[in-house]
């Protein structure tokens, strides 16, 4: 079967757009071909800085013929109905329609529409211009003389040529010469911009990829990444070093080169006095280079690895020299930031009021930065006040939370005050990614307690499902206070996430709270904490106003926490029905919910649990059906009306199990509560074997239904068994 080769060659495509663009091209083209009646065996996309390519193999040469019968109105229908039918079917007159008789409905018109199949070349010619013209680039541009005309072609960078060939694997291919804005598809492409700028004639994918490689273009992005990674490891190892790997940077540099050449440069060792994180970010952000370190050590070396797109005649000496000059200039700036952040601010006399408000020591550089952050009235959010107001709220909330987490009150207070101070440092101003981390380094330099320094860095964590969770009690406390203040504040002003939009990363903050509580075993009454936060938000300059009723706001936020908890527990392998069985709308101790789910999971997978579940569901379903019908159910079980041994045994078992389960739940021992309930398995089974619930005697029937209600109430102390599937 024929294969289709497509290439769209342009000026350099931004690296961050390449992978998605290639995937979009594959989906758009294959969807359009399938919709037009073609099928294919497989398709794979490729990309380099200057081209998007698509290899579709096993494409049918022609779409199938289509025969469709379209039923119309009765032959005696009004004229307008018949005219509408003819128009829709593409018929000139009723003589072109068939008349079909139906014994019940009479005679009616039927149009037989036959559509002959079309050649694949014709379909490609039809669909490709529209795909190219409407391609979903995040940003695109117009160029040249045609750019002034309405509807001019837009592309991410000027489109230069199109390759489109079609044909069987072992026969000659043909060019499908569709045209768009003066660019006509052909079988001509071009290799590396500098090493092989001559035209290359191609036929099908195999010789296309091989010809490009001869012309110094490696088409497969994953292969380029592999070459870069292994060559970088090798050159580092040859110099007694190891590569500091960075998947994001590797992806980016593989999108900057078509013929990767790995080289090593260096800078003066004096710059190693700068924190490694700053060096790494400086070199990565500005020069797209990798850093190295001595084998088995954490500190960086003064060697960096760069990726060139040119195989230079001098072995890359000039390229290394040029990159080294830029790296040194950037590191010189970074060293300047690092030193200035450790010095005094020039306007200390203006910071005394802010220092007094937060108990800051203006002899300490980080304290000065916090005072400056407050004195400048830097806005956090228009409706939530300044950063200083936010620090005031977080500080007060952290003080309350410390009573629960067991964190040292004085250290917690100090950490909460300094947590945002590094936002006014020049290092963080240049590299926002370092917020928190730089605060920790500056805190250690000025002699802060290790827990305070750790909390300054870790109060932002976790920032995602794979990020680490704070371990120190002070860090846990400040991290919770920071996230809860954010969530409560934005809920209060009505700025909740909607659909896929979450501009303030509130889902991430809520998941962070969930992970901290569950992974660090923190018992936190969320509704009570929310109320305390609301009171704190009404004091001093920390004030913000609730857009609605605070109580409703808190329950709505609690439901949001429940959603994040469900996501987290499902990711941990918990069944959704077991989560629903224990999660009530007012459950605000998330750690206890998780422990209930854990205990229920263990119980329900045991033999006793499975059998008790079956019996309990039978009891609750029967009871619910009678309740729906309005059947009389006794207020309480009367022992005098228990006639059969099985119902007496069940009543005694429920009385004992209910007390034991309730005591265990009160002691938060959910496994023991499940064990207590498991003793009901035998009595419940015997009850349904030996007892007819709907007895002819109304009093006995009402009493037995009350006994079923006791089963529901007993199991309900740990979970709503009716929500468990199976």
């Amino acid at each position: 079967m024929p294969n289709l080769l497509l290439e769209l060659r342009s000026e350099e495509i931004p690296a961050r757009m390449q992978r998605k663009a290639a995937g979009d091209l594959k989906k758009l083209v294959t969807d359009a071909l399938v919709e037009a009646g073609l099928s294919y065996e497989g398709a794979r996309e490729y990309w380099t800085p200057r081209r998007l390519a698509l290899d579709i193999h096993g494409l049918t040469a022609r779409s199938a013929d289509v025969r469709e019968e379209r039923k119309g109105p009765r032959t005696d229908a009004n004229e307008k109905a018949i005219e509408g039918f003819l128009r829709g079917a593409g018929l000139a007159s009723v003589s072109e329609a068939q008349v079909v008789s139906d014994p019940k409905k009479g005679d009616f018109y039927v149009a037989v529409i036959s559509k002959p199949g079309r050649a694949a070349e014709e379909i490609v010619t039809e669909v490709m211009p529209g795909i190219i013209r409407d391609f979903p680039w995040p940003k695109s541009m117009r160029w040249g003389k045609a750019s002034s005309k309405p509807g001019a072609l837009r592309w991410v960078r000027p489109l230069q040529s199109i390759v489109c060939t079609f044909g069987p694997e072992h026969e000659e291919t043909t060019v499908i010469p569709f045209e768009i804005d003066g660019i006509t598809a052909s079988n001509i492409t071009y290799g590396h911009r500098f090493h092989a700028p001559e035209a290359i004639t191609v036929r099908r994918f195999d010789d296309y990829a091989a010809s490009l490689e001869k012309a110094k273009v490696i088409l497969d992005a994953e292969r380029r990444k592999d070459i870069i990674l292994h060559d970088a490891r090798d050159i580092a190892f040859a110099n007694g070093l190891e590569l500091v790997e960075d998947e994001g940077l590797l992806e980016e540099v593989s999108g900057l080169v078509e013929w990767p050449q790995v080289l090593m440069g260096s800078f003066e060792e004096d710059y190693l006095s700068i924190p490694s994180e700053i060096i790494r970010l400086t070199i990565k952000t500005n020069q797209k280079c990798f850093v190295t370190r001595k084998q088995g050590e954490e500190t960086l070396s003064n060697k960096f690895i760069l990726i060139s797109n040119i195989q230079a005649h001098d072995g890359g000496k000039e390229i290394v020299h040029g990159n080294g000059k830029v790296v040194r200039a950037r590191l010189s700036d970074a060293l300047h930031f690092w030193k200035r952040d450790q010095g005094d601010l020039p306007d200390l006399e203006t910071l005394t009021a802010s220092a007094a408000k937060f108990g800051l020591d203006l002899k300490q550089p980080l304290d000065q930065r916090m005072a400056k952050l407050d004195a400048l009235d830097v806005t956090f959010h228009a409706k939530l006040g300044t950063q200083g107001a936010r620090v005031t709220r977080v500080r007060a909330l952290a003080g309350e939370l410390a009573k629960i987490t067991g964190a040292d009150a004085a250290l917690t207070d100090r950490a909460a005050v300094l947590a945002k101070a590094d936002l006014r440092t020049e290092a963080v101003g240049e590299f926002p990614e370092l917020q928190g981390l730089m605060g920790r380094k500056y805190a250690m330099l000025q002699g802060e307690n290790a827990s305070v320094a750790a909390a300054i860095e870790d109060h932002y964590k976790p920032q995602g499902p794979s990020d680490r969770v704070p371990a120190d009690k002070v860090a846990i406390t400040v991290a919770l206070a920071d996230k809860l203040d954010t969530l409560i504040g934005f809920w209060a002003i009505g700025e909740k996430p909607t659909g896929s939009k979450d501009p303030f990363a509130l889902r991430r903050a809520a998941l962070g709270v969930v992970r901290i509580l569950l992974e660090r075993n923190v018992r936190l009454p969320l509704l009570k904490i929310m109320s305390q936060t609301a009171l704190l938000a009404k004091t001093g300059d920390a004030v913000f106003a609730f857009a609605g009723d605070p109580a409703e706001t808190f329950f709505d936020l609690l439901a949001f926490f429940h959603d994040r908890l469900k996501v987290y527990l499902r990711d941990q392998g918990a069944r959704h029905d077991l989560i629903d069985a224990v999660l009530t709308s007012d459950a605000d101790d998330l750690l206890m919910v998780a422990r209930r789910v854990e205990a229920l999971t263990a119980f329900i997978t045991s033999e006793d649990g499975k059998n008790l579940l079956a019996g309990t569901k039978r009891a609750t379903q029967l009871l619910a059906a009678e309740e729906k019908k309005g059947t009389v159910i006794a207020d309480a079980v009367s022992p005098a009306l228990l006639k059969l041994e099985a119902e007496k045994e069940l009543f005694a078992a429920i009385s004992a199990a209910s007390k034991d389960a309730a005591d265990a739940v009160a002691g938060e021992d959910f496994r023991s509560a499940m064990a207590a309930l498991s003793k009901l398995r035998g009595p419940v089974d015997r009850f349904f074997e030996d007892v007819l619930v709907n007895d002819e005697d109304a009093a006995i029937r009402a009493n037995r239904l009350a006994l079923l209600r006791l089963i529901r109430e007993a199991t309900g102390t740990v979970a709503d068994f009716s929500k468990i599937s199976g």
Side-chain angles (χ1 to χ4, degrees):
M1 294 177 74
N3 300 330
L4 177 69
L5 169 64
L6 179 70
E7 180 201 68
L8 303 173
R9 188 179 64 88
S10 67
E11 294 291 340
E12 277 73 7
I13 305 167
R16 67 184 182 280
M17 299 183 187
Q18 293 168 19
R19 184 181 290 272
K20 183 179 185 303
D24 288 342
L25 180 65
K26 173 184 172 181
K27 185 177 189 307
L28 290 169
V29 173
T30 54
D31 284 357
L33 296 180
V34 169
E35 189 176 340
L38 300 177
S39 62
Y40 63 96
E41 293 177 359
R44 185 177 172 188
E45 71 276 26
Y46 298 86
W47 62 93
T48 80
R50 299 176 63 216
R51 67 199 80 226
L52 302 178
L54 182 60
D55 171 33
I56 302 178
H57 55 272
L59 185 66
T60 48
R62 188 177 183 83
S63 63
D65 297 339
V66 177
R67 185 179 185 277
E68 176 190 355
E69 290 189 1
R70 186 174 299 179
K71 186 178 179 181
R74 287 166 50 100
T75 54
D76 57 357
N78 63 64
E79 189 175 332
K80 287 189 176 181
I82 295 173
E83 287 177 358
F85 161 67
L86 295 176
R87 277 196 308 274
L91 303 181
S93 67
V94 291
S95 62
E96 296 180 6
Q98 295 181 4
V99 177
V100 177
S101 297
D102 186 311
K104 294 182 179 179
K105 298 182 180 179
D107 295 342
F108 56 89
Y109 291 115
V110 172
V112 179
I113 304 171
S114 296
K115 294 181 180 179
R118 295 190 296 160
E121 294 97 318
E122 180 185 342
I123 293 172
V124 171
T125 300
E126 178 184 283
V127 303
M128 281 309 305
I131 289 173
I132 295 172
R133 192 174 291 281
D134 299 328
F135 199 80
W137 291 108
K139 290 184 179 180
S140 57
M141 61 180 291
R142 295 177 295 175
W143 63 92
K145 293 181 179 179
S147 64
S148 61
K149 299 177 182 177
L153 174 64
R154 302 183 69 94
W155 200 246
V156 63
R157 295 292 184 269
L159 188 62
Q160 296 178 328
S161 68
I162 301 172
V163 169
C164 190
T165 65
F166 181 72
E169 189 173 351
H170 301 296
E171 298 177 19
E172 274 303 314
T173 58
T174 60
V175 173
I176 303 178
F178 63 86
E179 186 268 342
I180 179 167
D181 273 29
I183 303 172
T184 303
S186 68
N187 60 352
I188 304 296
T189 190
Y190 296 83
H192 193 283
R193 181 187 292 277
F194 304 112
H195 291 308
E198 301 82 11
I200 302 169
T201 302
V202 299
R203 292 175 298 170
R204 54 182 60 84
F205 179 78
D206 289 344
D207 74 284
Y208 165 74
S211 297
L212 282 180
E213 186 134 354
K214 290 178 183 176
K216 308 294 187 192
V217 174
I218 296 174
L219 184 64
D220 187 343
E222 294 304 322
R223 189 164 155 242
R224 291 198 305 275
K225 286 175 66 174
D226 191 61
I227 290 170
I228 293 168
L229 180 59
H230 285 86
D231 285 359
R233 285 173 176 168
D234 290 346
I235 195 172
F237 182 78
N239 285 271
L241 305 169
E242 64 181 19
L243 177 71
V244 178
E245 297 185 17
D246 186 325
E247 177 60 30
L249 179 58
L250 181 61
E251 174 79 11
E252 184 175 11
V253 295
S254 72
L256 297 174
V257 296
E258 292 190 319
W259 191 248
Q261 303 297 305
V262 178
L263 304 168
M264 177 173 277
S266 65
F267 53 85
E268 288 74 17
E269 291 191 358
D270 291 348
Y271 289 122
L272 294 178
S273 63
I274 306 169
S276 296
E277 294 83 0
I278 297 181
I279 295 174
R280 184 176 178 180
L281 261 178
T282 297
I283 293 177
K284 171 184 175 178
T285 304
N286 295 305
Q287 287 304 104
K288 314 302 178 191
C289 294
F290 296 87
V291 293
T292 63
R293 61 190 168 212
K294 292 182 180 179
Q295 293 179 6
E297 296 184 12
E298 287 297 317
T299 55
L300 299 184
S301 78
N302 67 324
K303 306 287 186 182
F304 64 91
I305 291 175
L306 63 103
I307 315 302
S308 171
N309 192 36
I310 299 174
Q311 190 172 344
H313 297 299
D314 64 354
K317 291 180 181 178
E318 282 300 316
I319 296 172
V320 169
H321 176 70
N323 276 268
K325 286 177 64 176
V326 178
V327 165
R328 290 184 194 95
R330 297 295 188 182
L331 290 177
S332 178
D333 290 343
L335 183 60
H336 175 70
F337 298 150
W338 171 241
K339 289 181 176 178
R340 283 198 53 168
D341 285 340
Q342 297 173 55
D344 290 338
L345 292 173
D347 53 352
L348 291 181
E349 67 280 357
T350 66
L351 307 178
T352 52
S354 293
K357 183 196 305 184
F358 293 102
L360 297 166
D361 179 2
L362 291 182
K363 295 178 182 178
Q364 301 281 27
L366 201 57
D367 292 58
Q368 295 175 21
R369 271 70 187 174
M370 179 56 223
K372 186 71 172 179
L373 183 70
D374 178 67
L376 288 174
D377 285 336
V378 176
T379 299
F380 169 63
H381 186 280
K383 295 181 181 179
L384 294 174
T386 65
Q387 285 283 10
R390 181 159 186 255
V391 170
T392 299
R393 295 195 302 270
V394 170
R395 181 186 187 184
L397 180 54
E400 294 297 321
L401 293 175
K403 301 172 186 175
I404 297 171
T405 63
D408 182 277
L411 296 180
T412 299
D413 185 72
R414 179 67 173 163
V417 167
L418 292 181
K420 305 297 180 183
D422 69 352
L423 295 178
R424 289 304 307 167
T425 62
E426 297 201 31
V428 173
E430 181 73 9
F431 300 111
E433 306 97 312
L434 295 179
Q435 63 184 13
L437 188 147
M438 294 311 301
R440 178 177 190 163
K441 289 187 177 296
Y442 294 133
M444 294 299 289
L445 283 173
Q446 69 179 38
E448 296 295 336
N449 183 279
S451 290
V452 172
I456 292 172
E457 178 181 3
D458 289 355
H459 83 282
Y460 289 107
K461 297 183 178 298
Q463 296 195 38
S466 59
D467 194 17
R468 66 179 176 85
V469 174
D472 184 275
K473 286 185 177 181
V474 174
I476 288 170
T477 306
V478 181
L480 285 172
D482 181 67
K483 290 169 178 58
L484 287 170
D485 175 76
T486 298
L487 288 159
I488 295 166
F490 280 107
W491 243 256
I493 62 174
E495 293 281 357
K496 301 183 294 184
T498 56
S500 61
K501 294 183 178 180
D502 187 10
F504 304 109
L506 301 180
R507 290 187 180 92
R508 186 175 69 188
L511 179 59
V513 171
V514 169
R515 287 192 61 200
I516 292 172
L517 296 181
L518 270 56
E519 295 178 31
R520 296 294 178 248
N521 295 311
V522 178
R523 299 281 310 278
L524 196 66
L526 284 171
L527 289 174
K528 179 181 177 182
I529 292 299
M530 291 178 195
S531 299
Q532 289 176 333
T533 305
L535 292 174
L536 295 172
K538 295 179 180 179
T539 61
D541 61 356
V543 66
F544 64 78
F546 277 73
D549 178 59
E552 291 181 7
T553 300
F554 299 151
F555 270 97
D556 189 55
L557 178 53
L558 182 61
F560 185 72
F561 276 116
H562 286 173
D563 290 340
R564 297 302 98 197
L565 176 65
K566 289 178 182 178
V567 170
Y568 176 82
L569 292 176
R570 285 199 294 265
D571 287 345
Q572 299 299 309
R575 281 168 39 182
H576 69 88
D577 58 326
L578 301 188
I579 300 171
D580 290 339
V582 304
L583 188 59
T584 58
S585 61
D586 60 348
D588 69 342
D589 187 339
L590 304 188
L591 179 61
M592 288 300 99
V593 172
R595 288 181 177 171
R596 282 175 181 261
V597 172
E598 182 183 340
L600 183 59
T601 300
F603 176 65
I604 218 68
T605 53
S606 69
E607 199 61 33
D608 281 347
K610 291 176 184 176
N611 291 333
L612 179 60
L613 174 63
T616 301
K617 289 180 77 72
R618 182 177 177 183
T620 54
Q621 288 168 358
L622 196 160
L623 181 64
E626 295 303 319
E627 286 174 334
K628 189 174 182 180
K629 289 189 292 185
T631 305
V632 174
I633 302 171
D635 294 333
V637 174
S638 171
L641 292 175
L642 299 175
K643 303 299 182 184
L644 301 178
E645 195 61 35
E647 57 184 334
K648 294 177 182 177
E649 181 188 0
L650 178 60
F651 180 60
I654 292 174
S655 300
S658 295
K659 181 181 184 305
D660 291 345
D663 289 345
V665 169
E668 298 171 1
D669 184 355
F670 302 114
R671 289 186 180 273
S672 295
M674 298 294 176
L677 292 178
S678 69
K679 296 175 183 176
L680 292 175
R681 172 195 166 181
V684 168
D685 289 346
R686 282 187 288 277
F687 177 83
F688 282 113
E689 287 172 6
D690 299 348
V691 178
L692 176 65
V693 175
N694 285 321
D695 193 88
E696 292 181 358
D697 187 318
I700 292 176
R701 180 171 65 245
N703 200 55
R704 287 174 178 171
L705 288 172
L707 194 55
L708 296 187
R709 186 168 58 202
L710 286 183
I711 296 175
R712 184 172 67 185
E713 291 171 354
T715 55
T717 58
V718 291
D720 184 348
F721 275 49
S722 67
K723 292 183 178 179
I724 303 175
S725 59

